[in-house]
Amino acid sequence: MNKPVDFGTPAKQTDKLVTLEIDGHSVTVPAQTSVMRAAMEAGITVPKLCATDSLEPFGSCRLCLVEIEGRRGFPASCTTPVDEGMKVRTQTPKLADIRRGTMELYISDHPLDCLTCAANGDCELQDMAGAVGLREVRYGYDGANHLKAEKDTSNPYFTFDPSKCIVCSRCVRACEETQGTFALTIQARGFDSKVASGIDNFLDSECVSCGACVQACPTATLMEKSVIQHGTPEHSITTTCAYCGVGCSFDAEMKGEEVIRMVPSKNGGANHGHSCVKGRFAWGYATHKDRITTPMIRKSIKDPWQKVSWEEAIAYAAEELTRIREKYGASAIGAITSSRCTNEEVYVVQKLIRAGFGTNNVDTCARVCHSPTGYGLKQTLGESAGTQTFDSVMQADVIMVIGANPTDGHPVFASQMKRRLRQGARLIVADPREIDLVSSPHVRADYHLKLRPGTNVALISAMSHVIVTEGLVNEAFVRERCEWDSFEMWRDFAARPENSPEALAADLGIAAETVRAAARLYATGGNAAIYYGLGVTEHSQGSTTVMGIANLAMATGNIGREGVGVNPLRGQNNVQGSCDMGSMPHEFPGYRHVADDATRALFESAWGRPLSKDPGLRIPNMLDMAGEGSFKALYCNGEDIAQSDPNTQHVTHALESMECVIVQDLFLNETAMYAHVFFPGASFLEKNGTFTNAERRISPVRRVTRPKNGYEDWEITAMLSTALGYPMPYKHASEIMDEIAALTPTFKGVSFEKLDRLGSIQWPCNEEHPAGTPIMHIDEFVRGKGRFFITQYIPTTERVNARYPLILTTGRILTQYNVGAQTRRTDNVAWHPEDRVEIHPHDAEERGIQDGDWVGVSSRAGETVLRATITERVQPGVVYTTFHHPESGANVITTDNSDWATNCPEYKVTAVQVSRVSQLSDWQLEYRTFSSEQKKHAGHLATDTTSD
Amino acid sequence: MSIDRLISMANQIGKFFESYPDAELAKEGIATHIKNFWAQQMRRQLVSHVIEKQGQGLDHLVTEAIKQHQAILA
């Protein structure tokens, strides 16, 4: 298996070039490049152990020594920068002597078990012993050594064997430089020095299991358990992670059709060789025993499932949909696409609904997360997408994080952001909770705006007031780039006294002077970039906040170049892509409204069917109408609305009311328990396609093993469509992308061939930008002039009162992903076996709640029971939970309130009461019974990973 | 679809546009938003409610917006 070249030290970015001579060869490299890297770039290998090109040089192993003409001694090539005219020799008898002597010392305290070692054939120590010609160890092996040091196997995914450690510090430096967690250190000095995680074992330490240390380790000291179990992989295929919106590239390292390990791709445009615990390790769900691989059908959800052939399942589904169309009309049928699916899969589902059924009743799970981003950024800037690359953060001077928790939700990008913060960028965090970024090793927020849930718009208005009234507007930018009339309207609005920080202080729960200082920093601190997440969008005024954020960026000129911008951190891997693909009921691929005659004509011509000019139903509309009896059939592709959508009782009632629910998924998920047809889906490892991440980066998803269910997901949709009388004769996912490119201006230059060649492409990709567009809105906004909007703060109708005195807000945790269908079926449960409710000590004391107690959480929508964690992370009056385990019922308590513009649910604000209880809620008891029956109906008792 | 739900959604839209200094622009904004994002059966139901029930439950601005821009909402 070909491994990428390790140049030893990172590349230097400078236009100044230096020419030197290495072993008689003339070499020209950027100034400040290390001698080691210069040699490697010229194809000259210098022995090394402590150096690797993902880390700054350290100069400790003494193997990379060289001789430099005119300099005394033997400088380490990794820490020595090149100089003009320098003459370097990497191989001399003296250097060979020193290197061999050094290796002899290393090997004298290293187990001689190469043939049975998991790293055999993939060990830099072994390679170096060979490279320096080590033939004997004169010191013997009987002296003091570390060979009996105890192995730490506590981490579910990798082992730490100190007997094999050469104390090169690569793991410690990776934890610091790459990940930014600082969980590891070198303890003690001299012979006693050893790598320590600060506590007894890795599992209980602050280690976040990102895998950077394992990746950096040159020996078998830190080693994946999968490699220990199965041996070293023999080939690799580059693909894209199926978890969060960062969209990391991974090399799936394989043995035949079995994945041995997922290694972050060094050339990954979004991740640059870094990973998190999910992408790196939590892929075992793809082969979990709960996986369903045979299609199933049934007449009623009270009936047992009947396993059938694909032909029978497709025919049955088509018959049912045809029957329902004939009886109730096509408007009684719809589909939901998922951001966990590829662009190609989403595209064919929306095509089936629009062309096959003649309605626009197709929606996507972005409805419940980032639909306000699509709306708000389209209105203000002209494009429903983030404006920057992730790398842009490295040019930011001020970083404002609002309603996002990157270290948990977007961990690989968070590491990059922390790197920039350690370099000195200033940080504003606006969050009701004390997220890790507020205070973590070597990172401390300048301002933590600990606002009350539901007051984002008040905060943005107050910041706008400061910028407008203190003369901090970049008027030149606004005059040149924005609609002046809209600016004046916004400016006059923002300047009103009721929008001042003083007037809004009581609503926000933040001192006015703090808001003023944060606004001044944002407006005057240099390049200022805003990063936001679902804490912005999942509110009744989610779209207003998005527009307010765009207002701030335009008013201060912080848009249209590197280091600035409006950056939505997308929750799932393909939120951006699923929206791009026309999966919302009002627009075709490329965000073109269905009422636009020219666009509709284009698609009618290509698809050969008349298309509707009327927007279709959104998910909440479908569910409302299903509950009322007028919406009858749903094709739910890769989404689990019974767990992820708000007001679970409302959702399940709607599902129960339908005559045909078709679920396509890997597992018998919560929604599938209400289904009549189950199409088993393929995992991301079993399909071809593309994902588009939060920075508009389209990355290839490549099939590394055959689909266990027999078909890639787009094939299943195509078979269903064909059975319904609308043939989709694609032979490969690449043909779907070709069709997308032909019909979508922003994807015009995209093809699988180009993706394979370039690695990834950020749209728009067209004749003007054949390699894509990293930064948007550089010279002008997509809509021409940027448009300001008035952002009046309107408090949510979800209010606290004597009965429900606390506000519940929800979020995510690092080790779990969305509804947990994937991560709960991996060893990640070791870190998060259950969802808990966080409560402030004052609120807990008032209620007599101890840490770990079972507590009932009741709202106007319902009640559930969770265990309590008492913490000052949440402010008094606010409680917080996650929704990764179905039995937790987090969405039993969230309500139907939603964003005014998009119906994105207001997950982040629910008035609740919390009290000690001794038994599960009625909903949970009913859920247990129902869930157990459904699993029996499947003849397949799925693993219960939830807590008792 | 429940008319109460539609009234609630329409009033939420109305609240956003209410802050516009120009009432005509606000009404146009409300109607255009509903036209662009609501399914036809939902729009028609709301228009019928305004005609038959005088927009009972709807904020005044929303009722006026629907009356004034009824043609684009059909």
Side-chain angles (χ1 to χ4, degrees), chain A residues 331 361 375 379 489 493 496 540 544 547 586 593 595 614-618 620-621 624-625 628 630 650 787 789-792 794 896-903, chain B residues 1-3 5-6 8-22 25 29 32-45 72-74:
Chain A
S331 62
N361 288 346
Y375 176 80
Q379 294 289 313
M489 193 163 75
F493 162 80
R496 286 186 206 159
S540 61
T544 313
M547 290 190 279
H586 65 282
H593 200 278
D614 277 309
L617 298 170
R618 293 169 169 175
N621 307 149
D624 285 346
M625 293 171 79
E628 291 162 15
S630 57
H650 181 67
R787 186 177 178 195
F789 278 83
I790 289 177
T791 55
Q792 177 69 50
I794 300 161
D896 289 328
N897 274 17
S898 66
D899 173 49
W900 68 269
T902 64
N903 289 130
Chain B
M1 196 165 155
S2 151
I3 191 65
R5 181 82 160 162
L6 296 180
S8 164
M9 285 163 57
N11 282 343
Q12 264 193 294
I13 295 164
K15 285 274 183 295
F16 174 81
F17 289 99
E18 209 173 68
S19 57
Y20 274 40
D22 181 336
L25 272 182
T32 306
H33 187 91
I34 291 173
K35 175 185 183 302
N36 284 343
F37 298 104
W38 284 26
Q40 189 180 52
Q41 62 263 50
M42 292 161 61
R43 299 197 310 261
R44 286 183 173 167
Q45 206 179 336
I72 66 164
L73 294 171

Side-chain angles (χ1 to χ4, degrees), chain A residues 325-536:
Chain A
R325 175 166 52 185
E326 285 168 1
K327 187 171 177 185
Y328 303 102
S331 62
I333 298 170
I336 298 174
T337 70
S338 172
S339 301
R340 292 195 277 275
C341 295
T342 64
N343 287 321
E344 293 73 12
E345 289 157 9
V346 170
Y347 179 86
V348 293
V349 172
Q350 62 89 35
K351 180 177 175 179
L352 164 62
I353 294 298
R354 296 189 202 283
F357 288 98
T359 82
N360 289 312
N361 288 346
V362 60
D363 206 357
T364 178
C365 63
R367 175 67 53 212
V368 299
C369 69
H370 265 288
S371 51
T373 290
Y375 176 80
L377 297 186
K378 180 92 171 173
Q379 294 289 313
T380 49
L381 311 180
E383 193 59 279
S384 301
T387 63
Q388 308 296 116
T389 60
F390 286 137
D391 288 351
S392 163
V393 77
M394 299 311 287
Q395 307 300 322
D397 301 306
V398 178
I399 296 168
M400 178 164 170
V401 177
I402 173 168
N405 185 4
T407 54
D408 282 49
H410 305 87
V412 170
F413 172 64
S415 291
Q416 189 172 25
M417 182 186 277
K418 286 197 289 187
R419 202 172 309 136
R420 181 60 185 157
L421 291 167
R422 292 199 302 276
Q423 290 172 356
R426 310 283 298 275
L427 175 64
I428 302 164
V429 173
D431 201 296
R433 237 174 123 241
E434 191 170 314
I435 59 171
D436 283 351
L437 269 184
V438 171
S439 177
S440 61
H442 303 281
V443 169
R444 189 167 295 272
D446 293 84
Y447 301 102
H448 178 200
L449 308 176
K450 209 169 183 174
L451 74 177
R452 298 224 162 90
T455 61
N456 286 333
V457 172
L459 175 65
I460 296 296
S461 292
M463 289 181 71
S464 303
H465 179 89
V466 175
I467 287 164
V468 165
T469 59
E470 294 191 10
L472 306 180
V473 169
N474 183 339
E475 195 175 315
F477 180 90
V478 175
R479 281 192 181 279
E480 184 193 337
R481 300 286 308 274
C482 305
E483 287 180 358
W484 186 253
D485 289 354
S486 72
F487 168 74
E488 285 184 316
M489 193 163 75
W490 171 78
R491 180 195 62 198
D492 296 347
F493 162 80
R496 286 186 206 159
E498 63 263 32
N499 288 323
S500 71
E502 289 72 18
L504 291 167
D507 290 282
L508 289 168
I510 310 169
E513 194 47 44
T514 308
V515 174
R516 284 189 178 273
R520 289 173 194 141
L521 176 59
Y522 174 75
T524 65
N527 283 344
I530 298 178
Y531 293 86
Y532 72 88
L534 306 183
V536 158

Side-chain angles (χ1 to χ4, degrees), chain B residues 3 7 11 45-67 70:
Chain B
I3 191 65
I7 290 169
N11 282 343
Q45 206 179 336
L46 191 68
V47 170
S48 295
H49 180 74
V50 168
I51 295 167
E52 292 163 18
K53 301 274 175 69
Q54 292 74 51
Q56 194 182 344
L58 283 171
D59 291 343
H60 176 70
L61 186 68
V62 179
T63 305
E64 288 303 304
I66 291 163
K67 276 185 187 167
Q70 195 179 320

Side-chain angles (χ1 to χ4, degrees), chain A residues 280-315:
Chain A
R280 178 75 154 91
F281 297 117
W283 37 268
Y285 67 86
T287 52
H288 193 276
K289 63 184 175 59
D290 286 355
R291 183 95 184 261
I292 294 177
T293 54
T294 309
M296 302 189 297
I297 59 172
R298 59 182 175 179
K299 280 280 180 201
S300 154
I301 66 167
K302 292 177 182 159
D303 295 338
W305 284 104
Q306 185 189 342
K307 290 185 179 179
V308 293
S309 68
W310 271 109
E311 291 73 20
E312 287 172 284
I314 294 287

